Amino acid sequence: MLSTGALRAHLLATRLAGTVATSREASLRSYRLFAARDPRVMLGLDPEGAWGELEVMALMADRCGVSGDPGWVSGADVIDPERTLAGLEAFAGRLGEAAAQGVPVLFGTGHPHRLLGFYAELADALSAAGCLVLTPAQGRCVDITTRFGVRTYNLDYVRGVALVREPGARGPVSDTGAHSHSPLPVRVALAAAGEAGGPLPGLVVGDHGWVCGAGQLGFEAIGLADTDDPALFVGEAEGRVSVAVPLDDAVRSDYYRPLTRYVLNRACLSR
């Protein structure tokens, strides 16, 4: 069993928390765009409140531990490891409850290069506990607006985790899974599940648009988010996201393995 102290040390050593690779400039840009309701950073969330740039920054300072000083405009951003640990506890708690209730679960990621293994291990554990891990709309085309214009991707599942690929992509998922912020894939997946007569997920687990898109539609959703992903934390503050765990979502994939073990242990799902 990985102790809380050992995990805290791991978070700091790998820069999952503490001083992270995400720049202050990138975070502030996201806060400005969110305040302007730019769809590139909304991730499918339609906030009820009037979130100005300073309000977003204050929320991120509270939920992540970033600086709330608008005068600090450059350098590396910071995540408080205590907030990450608290988020992981809440995240594990919801997984444990889902397992105990045997609810269907949908996993999806916009970071397949980094986070596929993390989610896949959780999916395996919930499946072993008796939860149905859903894979609706596999192979379905999804048109997503990118900085290069509208591009068509294919919805795919690897070890029970949804992701999008460019058409015709083959080979290892790390080479072909696409980085995406879009909520469209989860909307397509949920619509397909509904059209098929269910079952629908009792919990959606993931990041980016998978969490915010599902939460906006009224599905319980939990996930991971970086300092430049304010939508998940706004969604959490407004009650449409159950848990948003602050951490760097783009470090080496093997750095997330201790988090997987910790979460499964806390959720009483270790095998």
Side-chain angles (χ1 to χ4, degrees):
M1 175 181 173
L2 188 68
S3 70
T4 301
L7 182 59
R8 182 188 297 106
H10 174 76
L11 293 172
L12 294 172
T14 57
R15 297 181 66 183
L16 279 159
T19 301
V20 296
T22 308
S23 70
R24 178 69 169 176
E25 293 93 332
S27 296
L28 292 178
R29 177 177 181 272
S30 291
Y31 306 163
R32 287 193 296 271
L33 292 176
F34 189 93
R37 299 297 192 267
D38 190 304
R40 290 174 293 177
V41 299
M42 303 307 289
L43 308 183
L45 187 74
D46 183 14
E48 295 176 351
W51 291 90
E53 183 180 348
L54 292 180
E55 286 78 16
V56 174
M57 186 187 304
L59 177 72
M60 296 300 286
D62 177 63
R63 300 296 171 104
C64 299
V66 304
S67 172
D69 179 5
W72 182 33
V73 297
S74 64
D77 222 329
V78 175
I79 294 175
D80 178 4
E82 296 302 325
R83 287 172 170 84
T84 304
L85 291 168
L88 289 171
E89 288 283 351
F91 185 95
R94 287 304 303 123
L95 287 180
E97 291 172 12
Q101 296 165 6
V103 303
V105 184
L106 176 65
F107 288 86
T109 182
H111 269 296
H113 303 74
R114 310 297 186 184
L115 291 169
L116 176 65
F118 174 79
Y119 297 124
E121 290 293 330
L122 302 183
D124 287 346
L126 284 175
S127 178
C131 292
L132 179 62
V133 176
L134 302 176
T135 58
Q138 182 157 13
R140 191 77 59 88
C141 292
V142 185
D143 293 328
I144 298 175
T145 300
T146 73
R147 59 182 175 176
F148 306 108
V150 176
R151 290 194 169 182
T152 300
Y153 294 86
N154 293 329
L155 182 60
D156 197 6
Y157 290 84
V158 177
R159 294 179 58 194
V161 182
L163 50 88
V164 293
R165 301 182 189 267
E166 293 184 2
R170 295 292 185 270
V173 67
S174 61
D175 295 334
T176 59
H179 177 236
S180 173
H181 286 207
S182 176
L184 295 179
V186 75
R187 292 175 185 167
V188 168
L190 292 171
E195 290 163 4
L200 294 172
L203 182 66
V204 177
V205 184
D207 48 62
H208 289 172
W210 287 94
V211 174
C212 289
Q216 182 65 35
L217 293 175
F219 292 87
E220 183 169 10
I222 62 176
L224 314 179
D226 209 331
T227 60
D228 59 352
D229 293 326
L232 276 83
F233 298 99
V234 172
E236 185 182 40
E238 292 193 343
R240 266 168 283 180
V241 173
S242 290
V243 180
V245 182
L247 50 71
D248 191 316
D249 59 10
V251 302
R252 284 172 35 178
S253 58
D254 58 309
Y255 288 170
Y256 298 98
R257 290 174 189 160
L259 278 65
T260 306
R261 296 197 300 271
Y262 185 84
V263 165
L264 291 178
N265 181 270
R266 292 296 193 181
C268 299
L269 292 170
S270 297
R271 293 174 288 170

